[in-house]
Structure formats: structure tokens, C-alpha cells
Amino acid sequence: MIRKNTKGKQSAMGDSQLLKGMLMFAKPYRKLLFFSLLLTGFIVIASLAQPFIIKLAIDTYIKMNDYQGMMYLGIIYFILIMVSSICTYYQNNTLQFTGQYVIYDFRQAIFKQFSIMEMAFFRKHPIGRLVTRITHDVESLNQLYSQVIVNLVKEVLILIGIIALMFYMSVKLTLICFLVIPVIAVVTFYFKRVLRNTQRKLRSILSKLLSYLAENLSGMSVIQLFAREGKQLELFNELNEEHYRAGMRQTVINSIFNPSIGLFGNISLALLVWYGGRSVMDETLTFGTVYAFTHYVRQFFEPLRGLADRFNQIQAALASAERIFETLETKPSIVDPVHPKDLPEKVEGNIVFNHVWFAYKEEEWVLKDVHFRINQGETVGVVGATGAGKSSIISLINRFYDYQKGSITLDGVDIKEVRIHDLRKHIGIIQQDAFVFSGTVFDNIRLNHKHVSDAEIIRGAKALKIDSFFRMLPEGYETMLGEEGTVLSAGQKQLLSFLRAMIADNDVLILDEATANIDTETETAVQITLKEMSKNRTTIIIAHRLSTIQHADKIIVLDKGRIVEMGNHQQLLKNQSAYYQLCKNQNKGQHAKVNV
């Protein structure tokens, strides 16, 4: 659906393509839409019949003093009003329900799309922009489904009906009234293009504004620490000013377009009064016909004014739909293989990096010809300076990213040949910055492991000697966490992450700076438990604190994306090379000299 230009960038999608995509989302609710269209038919007939009934009354029954005929016409007129009101009520309710159903499906589809995208997607797209897709952009479509589509059909049918009746009553008077139509068509075509570009720009600026806002709110402590409030406010003011100008441009365009339709309507009415009045005096037209024409001309331009408003809503919706479908049609680069290989229920944990090259951006290599083997049950430490590529190794094992050259195998099976879910269920990660979901402590620890009982979680916490920490929370393990609940410190989040990994009982355990935010006393207790957890389990430890990996079977030393040393703690100290220097720098030479 998304066309591509010669430079490989996505070009704007055509209106027909967007409408086709939006109708696909409405397809499951076609019965509700059909019911609304059926009601529209009754509303249109009732609306068109009312002026014609008055014409009949003036030209026939009043002239003939037919009281009984007038009474019948009055009853018919009243019935039409009641039918129109009842149909309008049910139509509005049906459309509102339909709109909410479709919007629900859109949000589900977008969130599902986000959940399958690789980490590179989130590096390229600021969170604020993605939030805009699922909130403001989706909400713009709500009006389209709940009002615009069916009402647009109703207004078009009314216009067709009015034209037919007007031509039926007087061809010449109809042509005179419609002299302004070609001008309206030209004006509408021009404003369509201008308004669409304005809407597209407005949505783009809004995404930037929300992205900047999300970034600053999450980093407010840093902003205040470095006294950048004034500078950040200046940058926000620039974006806000840009959004204001775009919004004002849209307002100006609407303020010109809508009154112009009203102006042309009044011109048409003036032509009707001039020619119709003269025709009545010449007795070539009846007064009832001219009276009906005045109603029909007003009715004709009323939908056109409505169409102007609908037009604005449609352009806003199309601008949002363009961005939504662009997101929905973005294909994840990391996907399950066509013919996947199955991993056993429990893997041994033999991991091999075979001359792996990896870059986040093309040819900017983060890992260069990395080659090592981790045997079943081994504990392996990975160390190096900041930016050496330690966390990238973890990302590759989990397929958060895919390497460009070489291969990575788990128990002899290339990880690219395994389903992503099957791979990740065998790997547990304890991160430095553990994420806390909205929910109780029990919920945050259990996650997908619904079979784990509360008693098992408490036993795990006692084994890690962190049970007292959870007991100290306001409601113990039932304490609500997350943005609307108790906020945990970085160290407390790490303890939560340890317990998660313990409960998950994965075959491969990865610790990414897992004890960086824990106090020394707690770390000692956790390290003892970790040794127990690491027994007969492949364990990879990313560490800046070298004391946490001295017990490792193997230590891999990275420098600028390459492995420069490999061995156990004592061997590497004896080499007096890169690892020795790291120990020396960290301990100011004292601890290193003791252990040489």
C-alpha cells in the first residue's frame, strides 16, 4: 500500500489507498454500517419530502380551500418529522458504537505492531511520536467512522435528491440557481490540496512536540541538575510556536473556505429571488414552486457547508491514517524463520559466537570478528570499557538485533533458525535498569509464569534474603507498583529483577550490570544465591565491578568491539595485559598486586 520513490523513501499514500485501508478496518462492522445507511435513506426521504409537501399545500389545497386535504398533508408532515427524528437517534447511536469498535481495533493493531518490532525501530522513532500514533492519530479517525462516512453519504444523497426535484419542478430556475456550482468546485479542489498539506504538517509538528515533551519529562532530574530549565523551555517554545503557526494556518484556511460556501449559497438565493419572483409575477411559475425552491436551495448549500466541515475532518483523518498505515505496514526486520527448528523443552546452554560482526548503523562496527564458546553450565564474565560492545553481545543472544556476519548458535542450532519466542523463553536477563509494570509486587515478579504461587515467590525472596524488603512496603507483596503506585529505587528494582529471574528458572541466565545499584551488604547475600543459581546453568555476567566475576570460569575482555583477552581471573592477572589494567584502575593497584 505504501509506494516508494526512487530514493527509497516512503511517499505520500493516495486517498483511494487510505480509504481502502480504513474500510478494511470497518469491514467486521459492515452490518452496523449498512443499518446506518438504511436509516439514512429514511432520513433523506423525510428531509426532501417536507418542502415538496408545503409546495403542494400552497399550490393546491390552500388555493382550493381544501381543509381536509390540508389536514392529511399536516398528518403526513408530522409523521415524516417523527420518522426523521427516530431514525436520526438510532443512526447516531449506531455510528458512535461503530466508531468506538473500529478505533479499538486500530489501537489493538498498532500496539500489536509495536510489540513485534525490533529494538532498532524504537531507536529510530522517539517514544513521543509512537504515542501520538496510538492516541491523537487514532482519535482523528474516530470522527470519520462515527460521523463523517455515513453523514457524507446522507449529504450526497440529499444533494442528488434536491437536484432531481428542482429539475422536476423547473429546469430553467434550477440552472440559474446552480450558476455558482463551477466556482465552488474550483475553490473546493484548491482548498483540498492546501488543507491536506496543512493537516499533514500539523500532525508532524505535534509528534515532534510530544516526543520532546516525553523526553524532557523523563529526563527532568538531569535538566534540573545541570540548570537547563531555561534552555529547554526555549526549545519547547520554538516547537510550540511552530505548532501554533500551523494550527493558525489551518484555522485561517477554514475561516476562508466555510464562509465562501455560505457566500455562494446567498448568491444562488439572490438569483432565485430575482428570477423566481419575476416568474411568479409573469405567472410562468407558481408561488409554491418558488417557495419550495428557497427551501431546497438552503438545503442544498447546508450540506455543502457540512461538506466543508466534513472535508476538514476527512483531511485530518487522512493525514493521520497515512501515518498509521505507514506504521502498520512497516515490516519488522527480525522475524521467525519460514521453516523453524525446534529447541527442546530444556536446553543445555552451549553458546557459540562464530566470527560475529555487528553494527547498529551500516559499516559502523560495534562488534568485530567476535569468536568464543560458552559450554554448558559455565559462568562467563564479559568486561571492557564503556562502549566496548558488552551489552551488544547480550542483545544479539536474545535477537533484539541481528548480526550482519558470522553466526551464533545455541546447542548447535543457529539462533536465526529458531522461533524468537522459543529462543527467549530459555534465556533470563537481570538488567541494570529493571522495568516495573503497573500491578502488585506479586504480579511484577510472576509476569507470564501464572503457575507460580505466592508461596513460591516468598520462598524465593527468602532464599535471596530480600523478603524483608518486600515486607517493608506499605502493603507487603500486595503493594501496587508503577506510575500510579509505589515508586521503587534503582536498587529495589534490581532486587525485583533478581527474584523474577529466580522464579522464571531459565536455562541460560544473563546478568547485565545486575548488582550496580545494590548496597554492599545485600550484594554479598545476592552473590551467594547467584552462585547457587549458576550451578549447572550457563551464566553470562556483564560487569563493571570486577569483584563480581572473579569466580567466573571464563572472562572475556572486550576493547573497541574486539576480544583482546580470554581466560579465568588468575590467568588474566598473570598476563598483566588489558584485564590486569582494568583491575588496577578499579582498585588503584592494590587488589591487583595482591592477586598476581
Side-chain angles (χ1 to χ4, degrees), residues 152 155-156 159 257 302-312:
L152 187 63
E155 286 157 358
V156 169
L159 291 178
F257 185 44
E302 194 60 41
L304 283 184
R305 289 192 191 96
L307 285 173
D309 293 331
R310 306 272 180 263
F311 189 71
N312 183 30

Side-chain angles (χ1 to χ4, degrees), residues 51-62 70 73 288:
F52 198 80
I53 288 173
I54 295 175
K55 173 193 176 303
L56 287 176
I58 294 173
D59 289 345
T60 306
Y61 297 102
I62 292 177
M70 285 293 296
L73 280 182

Side-chain angles (χ1 to χ4, degrees), residues 25-255:
F25 271 85
K27 191 175 180 181
Y29 312 105
R30 57 185 177 274
K31 290 182 180 178
L32 289 173
L33 287 173
F34 179 77
F35 178 65
S36 297
L37 289 172
L38 186 65
L39 294 174
T40 297
F42 290 114
I43 295 169
V44 169
I45 291 170
S47 179
L48 293 174
Q50 290 169 27
F52 198 80
I53 288 173
I54 295 175
K55 173 193 176 303
L56 287 176
I58 294 173
D59 289 345
T60 306
Y61 297 102
I62 292 177
K63 186 181 289 186
M64 298 171 60
N65 293 321
D66 187 346
Y67 176 78
Q68 189 174 8
M70 285 293 296
M71 186 177 67
Y72 288 146
L73 280 182
I75 292 170
I76 293 171
Y77 196 89
F78 176 76
I79 291 171
L80 287 173
I81 291 173
M82 291 302 297
V83 168
S84 178
S85 299
I86 293 169
C87 288
T88 301
Y89 169 78
Y90 282 106
Q91 185 199 53
N92 287 338
N93 278 351
T94 304
L95 288 176
Q96 289 298 328
F97 282 128
T98 305
Q100 291 303 316
Y101 289 145
V102 176
I103 294 309
Y104 173 86
D105 289 347
F106 261 110
R107 286 204 174 103
Q108 289 288 105
I110 295 171
F111 189 82
K112 182 179 179 182
Q113 179 73 5
F114 287 162
S115 68
I116 64 172
M117 296 307 295
E118 68 283 355
M119 293 299 105
F121 175 83
F122 298 100
R123 285 170 65 96
K124 293 176 186 174
H125 298 83
I127 298 302
R129 292 187 187 180
L130 300 181
V131 170
T132 304
R133 296 289 183 279
I134 209 166
T135 52
H136 290 78
D137 285 337
V138 169
E139 197 55 43
S140 292
L141 300 183
N142 187 20
Q143 293 293 322
L144 189 72
Y145 287 105
S146 61
Q147 293 183 18
V148 175
I149 293 177
V150 173
N151 284 334
L152 187 63
V153 172
K154 179 181 75 175
E155 286 157 358
V156 169
L157 289 176
I158 287 175
L159 291 178
I160 294 170
I162 288 172
I163 292 170
L165 285 170
M166 288 173 72
F167 269 109
Y168 170 75
M169 289 186 290
S170 172
V171 174
K172 195 170 183 181
L173 188 56
T174 301
L175 292 175
I176 288 173
C177 290
F178 288 166
L179 284 174
V180 296
I181 294 298
V183 183
I184 292 175
V186 172
V187 170
T188 302
F189 179 79
Y190 171 75
F191 274 101
K192 172 193 172 184
R193 186 177 59 184
V194 174
L195 196 57
R196 178 69 175 278
N197 291 334
T198 303
Q199 287 286 354
R200 190 180 290 136
K201 184 177 180 182
L202 187 63
R203 294 287 164 187
S204 176
I205 296 170
L206 180 62
S207 285
K208 291 179 184 177
L209 188 66
L210 291 176
S211 176
Y212 184 82
L213 183 62
E215 179 185 286
N216 278 262
L217 290 176
S218 61
M220 189 56 70
S221 59
V222 178
I223 292 171
Q224 293 180 354
L225 182 65
F226 289 92
R228 280 189 57 87
E229 296 93 336
K231 182 64 177 176
Q232 297 305 112
L233 181 59
E234 284 179 24
L235 296 172
F236 180 80
N237 284 342
E238 289 177 14
L239 282 172
N240 202 20
E241 177 71 21
E242 192 177 358
H243 183 263
Y244 166 78
R245 287 196 299 269
M248 286 303 298
R249 177 175 169 77
Q250 178 187 339
T251 302
V252 169
I253 291 169
N254 287 331
S255 66

